[in-house]
Amino acid sequence: MTAPLRIHQRVQRLMGNRFELSVVSSDADWANTCLDAAIEEIRRIERILTTFSDDSQTNQINANAGIQPVQVDLEVFALIERSLRLSALTQGAFDITYGSIDKRFWNFDTTMTALPDPKTAKRMIRLINYRNVILDADKHTVFLKEKGMRIGFGGIGKGYAAEQAKHVLRERGVESGIVNASGDLTTWGMQPNGQPWTIGIADPNLATRQAFSYLAISNMAVATSGSYEKYALINGKRYAHTIDPKTGYPVSGIKSVTIIAPNAELADALATPVLVMGVRVGLDLINQMKHIACIVIDDNDVLHTSTNIRLTTPVVA
């Protein structure tokens, strides 16, 4: 007699975030072996991309800023190449050189009571400029033109890792599952009962993170960015922890951006720029992209969606 299909799950802190991996299988031992392989893949990516280890490829690039190009793995080179294309597409609202800003400048905790003056903010962002990342496709080298420049993958790395973990699981024959990297998640296949995977979008006004809306998202990816937990309240105005690379100031006006896309890397990378660009410009960008959808909640709790979102109200019995 064949055992019934079940969801086998692993929750682990990886890349500084809570990862939750779920696979559907009737074989618990096999499922756990597959989960082990997926977790090792995320750890491998973390070792390459982290800025907390001097010998990571990211920090080797940063340490040689303004000095010399650094040869990197094709995988890292390709990720930087895709990041720069997104920077151009979003006119700099997404920028992997954001790491150049001094982390002491913005401290999003309760002690932050005033904004810095605009001149200081402008000076802090001087080195943020994706156009100063020089790639050599023949040698696989990366060169940051200015001393002090730094790149980081905070806006795309989690989504990339989720997709790579999914790739490992599918290669091993896992037909259904979810990899959730702290809200940046990718899904494939169906639940054990044959129904599509469903996710809830957290209400940004509730500390309990209770869902205000549900989406059936099998074979799709979702990423959410916003001021859910990390923000500063100054003179009654809410500032998200995301910094606008052009002004050096934190973005305001939007509480939450949810992107629905074919893969988690793209969803992760688009959530931040829509937050930076604002409701009108951000949705205009998404409406021009194929197979991408977006849900925005502004500071006044008004819901905005891309034109391809169909909202329905549940029938109350």
Side-chain angles (χ1 to χ4, degrees):
M1 184 175 163
T2 308
L5 288 172
R6 285 181 49 231
I7 298 175
H8 304 272
Q9 205 169 57
R10 197 75 62 79
V11 177
Q12 200 141 342
R13 193 158 183 83
L14 299 157
M15 302 178 79
N17 292 277
R18 183 181 189 272
F19 274 67
E20 191 176 307
L21 296 91
S22 307
V23 302
V24 175
S25 174
S26 58
D27 185 336
D29 290 340
W30 178 75
N32 279 312
T33 304
C34 293
L35 287 168
D36 287 341
I39 287 170
E40 183 47 43
E41 172 66 0
I42 297 168
R43 286 192 177 122
R44 183 188 69 79
I45 292 167
E46 183 176 14
R47 285 193 292 274
I48 298 171
L49 301 185
T50 182
T51 54
F52 294 100
S53 167
D54 288 343
D55 58 358
S56 73
Q57 295 194 24
T58 305
N59 272 347
Q60 287 173 30
I61 295 167
N62 291 339
N64 284 283
I67 302 170
Q68 61 184 353
V70 173
Q71 191 170 46
V72 297
D73 293 346
L74 179 57
E75 177 183 14
V76 176
F77 186 88
L79 184 59
I80 294 174
E81 204 170 34
R82 293 197 296 277
S83 297
L84 296 183
R85 279 206 297 269
L86 273 165
S87 297
L89 180 71
T90 61
Q91 298 179 337
F94 174 89
D95 195 324
I96 59 167
T97 64
Y98 76 93
S100 307
I101 199 163
D102 190 331
K103 289 178 183 172
R104 293 167 300 178
F105 188 52
W106 289 107
N107 184 15
F108 289 94
D109 59 27
T110 52
T111 63
M112 195 170 163
T113 54
L115 292 169
D117 70 275
K119 277 187 182 174
T120 308
K122 205 76 181 169
R123 193 178 70 245
M124 297 301 289
I125 59 169
R126 185 183 67 80
L127 293 171
I128 300 178
N129 188 350
Y130 69 93
R131 296 178 188 83
N132 287 337
V133 180
I134 310 301
L135 302 183
D136 186 324
D138 294 327
K139 298 175 182 170
H140 295 160
T141 59
V142 184
F143 178 51
L144 308 183
K145 278 174 75 174
E146 301 234 24
K147 273 200 169 182
M149 274 184 76
R150 292 176 60 83
I151 61 168
F153 295 94
I156 195 170
K158 274 192 298 156
Y160 174 67
E163 279 304 318
Q164 288 299 107
K166 171 185 160 185
H167 179 69
V168 165
L169 291 168
R170 295 198 74 169
E171 266 194 338
R172 287 175 169 254
V174 176
E175 294 181 352
S176 302
I178 298 180
V179 180
N180 182 356
S182 285
D184 300 341
L185 60 89
T186 183
T187 69
W188 71 106
M190 298 287 175
Q191 298 183 61
N193 62 7
Q195 296 296 308
W197 295 105
T198 303
I199 64 149
I201 299 176
D203 187 327
N205 294 313
L206 296 177
T208 57
R209 307 290 299 272
Q210 187 179 340
F212 78 92
S213 179
Y214 291 90
L215 297 168
I217 55 145
S218 279
N219 305 312
M220 292 292 285
V222 173
T224 299
S225 184
S227 54
Y228 279 88
E229 292 170 350
K230 218 172 175 184
Y231 63 90
L233 203 59
I234 300 170
N235 297 328
K237 192 170 179 179
R238 182 168 165 143
Y239 292 90
H241 68 279
T242 304
I243 304 296
D244 183 337
K246 289 179 181 151
T247 64
Y249 268 59
V251 298
S252 62
I254 292 179
K255 284 182 180 172
S256 164
V257 173
T258 297
I259 300 287
I260 304 151
N263 73 75
E265 178 189 316
L266 186 59
D268 186 10
L270 283 173
T272 300
V274 171
L275 195 69
V276 171
M277 294 163 103
V279 176
R280 188 181 61 79
V281 179
L283 285 179
D284 187 48
L285 170 72
I286 298 299
N287 284 333
Q288 295 177 57
M289 300 177 77
K290 287 183 180 176
H291 311 302
I292 312 285
C294 180
I295 300 169
V296 177
I297 303 171
D298 69 20
D299 275 351
N300 297 314
D301 294 328
V302 177
L303 190 72
H304 308 264
T305 68
S306 54
T307 53
N308 50 4
I309 290 275
R310 184 169 56 88
L311 293 172
T312 58
T313 305
V315 177
V316 179

